Amino acid sequence: MQKTITILGSTGSIGTQALDVIGKCGMKALALTANRSVDLLEKQIRQYNPLYAAMADEKAAAELAEALAELDAAAEALDAAMVAVGAAEPEETPAE
């Protein structure tokens, strides 16, 4: 069973390093969040294919949603999406 992870602030220095690590370890990004870095978050979504993506900045969220219109990732403003991201569960939870 593949392990999943949510990265809050995936476009920052720690977030980008975390994505490098999970990519090398065969883990899956369940959700990614960012403040305003539309281009970088778009690139991360296309590379890691998370189920959820959230932007804190409402205008940036709209830009991201437009850029990713053909994908299934749900890009929304932080107010609505953080509830979903925080409560997100993978389809199957791996046994401990």
Side-chain angles (χ1 to χ4, degrees), residues 14-60:
I14 294 172
T16 55
Q17 291 173 35
L19 282 171
D20 288 342
V21 170
I22 70 164
K24 291 175 184 171
C25 293
M27 298 172 74
K28 175 158 177 47
L30 176 66
L32 302 176
T33 70
N35 188 27
R36 291 188 197 105
S37 300
V38 174
D39 293 339
L40 182 52
L41 187 58
E42 178 186 357
K43 179 181 173 186
Q44 291 173 343
I45 291 167
R46 290 183 186 281
Q47 181 175 354
Y48 295 97
N49 196 30
L51 293 177
Y52 303 98
M55 304 269 326
D57 183 87
E58 208 170 312
K59 183 179 175 190

Side-chain angles (χ1 to χ4, degrees), residues 78-96:
L78 185 63
D79 291 341
M82 282 307 291
V83 174
V85 168
E89 294 282 336
E91 291 181 20
E92 274 187 44
T93 304
E96 296 294 322

